[in-house]
């Protein structure tokens, strides 16, 4: 009962920028962590960046200094500003959220994934 909607992917040249956005909807109680993962062909899904409700952030070493994750708790959204993009950043990027949602009068934990948005960095 928690859905994630992603947007912002596309084709960009090396050195360019993209901004990914993800909005959570449903019977939300609270969201502890929101983040972005990516998966390239033939590779396992990997964490790119994540942010907690307390604004603590974490980044993969490969994107530090280039990507910035931000969160609007009031709007249940998370963004990923990607600068200085490299061909190796090419992947499908997935939004993820972990937290609690309402099922009637009960709170239930959830871990939701978006459908993914393609990011292609190529000349």
């Amino acid at each position: 009962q928690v859905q994630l909607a992603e947007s912002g992917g596309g084709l960009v040249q090396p050195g360019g920028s993209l901004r990914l956005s993800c909005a959570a909807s449903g019977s939300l109680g609270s969201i502890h962590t929101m983040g972005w993962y990516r998966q390239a062909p033939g590779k396992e899904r990997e964490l790119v960046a994540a942010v907690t409700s307390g604004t603590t952030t974490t980044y993969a070493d490969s994107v530090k200094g280039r990507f910035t994750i931000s969160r609007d708790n009031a709007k249940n959204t998370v963004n990923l500003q990607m600068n200085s993009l490299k061909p190796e950043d090419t992947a499908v990027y997935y939004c993820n959220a972990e937290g609690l949602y309402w099922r009637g009068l009960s709170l239930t934990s959830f871990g939701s994934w978006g459908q993914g948005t393609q990011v292609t960095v190529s000349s």
Side-chain angles (χ1 to χ4, degrees):
Q1 296 186 16
V2 177
Q3 296 81 40
L4 303 179
E6 302 146 319
S7 63
L11 174 65
V12 65
Q13 292 185 343
S17 298
L18 286 173
R19 185 176 179 85
L20 306 183
S21 296
C22 174
S25 62
S27 301
L28 291 168
S30 62
I31 301 176
H32 177 253
T33 304
M34 299 189 76
W36 290 94
Y37 291 70
R38 67 186 181 188
Q39 187 168 20
K43 306 289 288 186
E44 294 188 356
R45 191 171 300 185
E46 64 175 352
L47 175 68
V48 178
V51 58
T52 70
S53 59
T55 71
T56 299
T57 60
T58 185
Y59 295 91
D61 288 340
S62 60
V63 307
K64 287 181 179 178
R66 299 188 297 120
F67 292 8
T68 302
I69 191 168
S70 60
R71 176 176 176 175
D72 187 332
N73 291 334
K75 297 181 179 180
N76 295 318
T77 61
V78 63
N79 300 311
L80 185 68
Q81 179 66 46
M82 304 185 295
N83 299 326
S84 302
L85 284 162
K86 304 175 181 179
E88 50 263 45
D89 295 319
T90 296
V92 177
Y93 284 69
Y94 298 89
C95 181
N96 174 262
E98 302 281 346
L100 301 172
Y101 75 97
W102 287 103
R103 185 188 294 273
L105 297 179
S106 300
L107 284 169
T108 303
S109 62
F110 74 89
S112 295
W113 292 94
Q115 292 297 306
T117 183
Q118 177 71 48
V119 172
T120 302
V121 185
S122 176
S123 299

